[in-house]
């Protein structure tokens, strides 16, 4: 089975054409260059038997190689496989790429299983094309408030500044005692790509003197849209710009023909963020991580990672039980 996979440092012409025609943003070389800003080395896997590929960012530290099959999430076509098919494919790819661990981040799932490494709550809009804010009384009220309160703040797609948005992201993460996972270079590349890439849009709320009060990032991969990033400062939160920016994002995703939209996973402890997303979403479930390990070293690393995420798994099991 391994000889079906062609592993290269740059995508093959077939891979590039497949990603472009299918609008698989997260499998493209453009997205690979985005992950380089996070310290990854993007590798490209092409299965010549079934005509399917993947961009796998590989992170190396102290000789340990960990890759992601789809970053930040699996996405199509991988999410359409059964769990057993996914594990078999992951094992093949991990071996072909010489990885110790290959991480699979599943999205918009309604069940957990004993083999998962970790899980977080996720909210999404299942049928985006028929979705309407009129269906949610609280959302209608909050949008009306935001429109009244945000007079003088300009919202649009041509007013975003990468560094200013990074600082908003950084301040938001620090305020919640979280971990800074993205860098100024990542934001710079992301914003530059949005200028030319179909399926990647950045919206911002800008006030007097060009101050950025909030932003949101939309990424479309295949037929699914993702609320990739978002943040607002104190002024923006008081004015409700997060709702206005998300409204722009959702309407743009629907206009682009996406069938569903993920609001992405949230830390268990950020209850306010989860409730904000639930106001917009129609469905709730889990974003589930599975780690496929190879060799003794990989299995040891996988066991350590899984042990460190025990709390996540217990919370996920309780969530499913109470749903």
């Amino acid at each position: 089975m391994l000889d079906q996979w062609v592993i290269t440092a740059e995508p093959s012409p077939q891979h590039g054409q497949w990603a472009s025609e299918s609008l698989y943003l997260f499998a493209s070389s453009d997205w690979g260059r985005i992950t380089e800003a996070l310290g990854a080395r993007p590798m490209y896997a092409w299965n010549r038997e079934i005509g399917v590929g993947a961009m796998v960012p590989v992170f190396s530290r102290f000789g340990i190689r960990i890759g992601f099959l789809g970053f930040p999430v699996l996405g199509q076509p991988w999410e359409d496989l059964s769990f057993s098919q996914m594990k078999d494919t992951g094992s093949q790819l991990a071996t072909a790429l010489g990885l110790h661990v290959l991480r699979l981040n599943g999205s918009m799932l309604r069940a957990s299983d004993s083999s998962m490494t970790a899980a977080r709550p996720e909210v999404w809009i299942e049928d985006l094309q028929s979705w309407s804010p009129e269906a949610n009384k609280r959302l209608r009220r909050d949008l009306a408030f935001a429109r009244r309160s945000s007079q003088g703040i300009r919202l649009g797609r041509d007013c975003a500044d990468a560094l200013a948005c990074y600082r908003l992201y950084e301040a938001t993460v620090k305020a919640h005692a979280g971990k800074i996972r993205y860098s100024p270079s990542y934001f710079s590349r992301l914003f530059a790509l949005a200028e030319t890439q179909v399926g990647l849009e950045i919206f911002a709320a800008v006030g007097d003197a060009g101050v950025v009060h909030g932003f949101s990032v939309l990424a479309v991969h295949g037929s699914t849209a993702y609320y990739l990033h978002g943040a607002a400062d104190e002024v923006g939160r008081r004015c409700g710009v997060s709702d206005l920016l998300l409204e722009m994002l959702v309407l743009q995703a629907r206009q682009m023909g996406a069938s569903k939209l993920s609001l992405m996973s949230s830390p268990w402890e950020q209850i306010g963020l989860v409730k904000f997303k639930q106001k917009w979403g129609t469905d709730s479930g889990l974003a589930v991580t599975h780690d496929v390990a190879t060799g003794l070293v990989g299995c040891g690393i996988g066991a350590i990672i899984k042990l460190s995420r025990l709390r996540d798994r217990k919370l996920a099991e309780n969530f499913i039980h109470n749903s």
Side-chain angles (χ1 to χ4, degrees):
M1 295 291 287
L2 291 181
D3 59 2
Q4 294 181 2
W5 292 99
V6 178
I7 307 298
T8 55
E10 294 290 336
S12 66
Q14 299 98 316
H15 184 130
Q17 182 178 3
W18 166 80
S20 177
E21 291 179 350
S22 304
L23 300 180
Y24 289 158
L25 173 63
F26 299 149
S28 69
S29 58
D30 285 331
W31 198 254
R33 284 187 281 274
I34 295 288
T35 68
E36 288 178 334
L38 301 174
R41 181 188 178 193
M43 299 297 294
Y44 298 87
W46 178 252
N47 189 305
R48 52 187 152 201
E49 295 295 323
I50 58 176
V52 170
M55 187 280 293
V56 183
V58 178
F59 296 83
S60 300
R61 191 174 184 184
F62 305 123
I64 305 300
R65 288 167 52 84
I66 298 178
F68 289 74
L69 179 54
F71 183 89
V73 296
L74 284 169
Q76 296 169 318
W78 305 107
E79 64 185 13
D80 298 328
L81 298 180
S82 68
F83 178 62
S84 60
Q85 289 174 317
M86 180 56 63
K87 285 191 68 176
D88 289 344
T89 301
S91 181
Q92 293 171 27
L93 275 175
T95 301
L97 287 159
L99 302 175
H100 294 98
V101 174
L102 180 64
R103 175 154 290 180
L104 317 175
N105 287 326
S107 181
M108 295 177 283
L109 302 177
R110 303 181 190 276
S112 60
D113 64 83
S114 59
S115 67
M116 67 183 179
T117 301
R120 283 183 166 188
E122 184 174 8
V123 179
W124 64 92
I125 298 173
E126 179 67 26
D127 186 355
L128 181 59
Q129 292 302 315
S130 65
W131 174 90
S132 170
E134 297 301 315
N136 187 309
K137 182 178 179 180
R138 181 191 167 195
L139 181 55
R140 294 199 309 270
R141 182 193 65 206
D142 288 353
L143 283 170
F145 166 81
R147 292 187 182 105
R148 292 193 306 268
S149 304
S150 61
Q151 298 298 317
I153 295 179
R154 181 167 61 98
L155 291 95
R157 288 184 287 178
D158 59 348
C159 53
D161 176 82
L163 183 56
C165 292
Y166 169 77
R167 287 171 176 161
L168 278 182
Y169 153 77
E170 182 183 43
T172 301
V173 172
K174 287 182 176 179
H176 291 91
K179 183 178 180 181
I180 304 295
R181 300 184 182 278
Y182 301 97
S183 64
S185 177
Y186 167 88
F187 269 73
S188 178
R189 294 191 186 196
L190 186 70
F191 280 50
L193 181 59
E195 294 179 2
T196 59
Q197 175 67 52
V198 174
L200 185 61
E201 298 278 1
I202 298 171
F203 308 92
V206 180
D208 294 337
V211 176
V212 179
H213 294 301
F215 77 96
S216 63
V217 181
L218 166 69
V220 178
H221 174 89
S223 62
T224 303
Y226 298 88
Y227 174 41
L228 207 57
H229 301 292
D233 65 4
E234 184 177 351
V235 172
R237 288 192 295 273
R238 285 202 308 267
C239 296
V241 299
S242 294
D243 281 314
L244 296 178
L245 289 168
L246 191 47
E247 181 184 38
M248 292 182 69
L249 184 150
V250 171
L251 294 177
Q252 178 64 23
R254 188 166 64 182
Q255 183 178 331
M256 294 173 68
S259 61
K260 62 175 64 176
L261 182 142
S262 168
L263 294 158
M264 304 297 284
S265 65
S266 306
W268 289 102
E269 58 272 16
Q270 291 189 25
I271 304 301
L273 178 59
V274 175
K275 288 184 177 179
F276 170 76
K277 292 179 178 180
Q278 287 174 336
K279 178 178 66 177
W280 281 89
T282 62
D283 294 70
S284 295
L286 297 172
V288 176
T289 296
H290 289 91
D291 287 334
V292 177
T294 62
L296 290 176
V297 173
C299 289
I301 294 168
I304 292 171
I305 295 173
K306 191 169 184 179
L307 182 62
S308 70
R309 304 300 293 274
L310 178 61
R311 175 178 173 273
D312 264 10
R313 295 197 301 279
K314 287 184 176 179
L315 288 170
E317 290 166 1
N318 291 336
F319 176 86
I320 292 298
H321 178 73
N322 295 323
S323 295

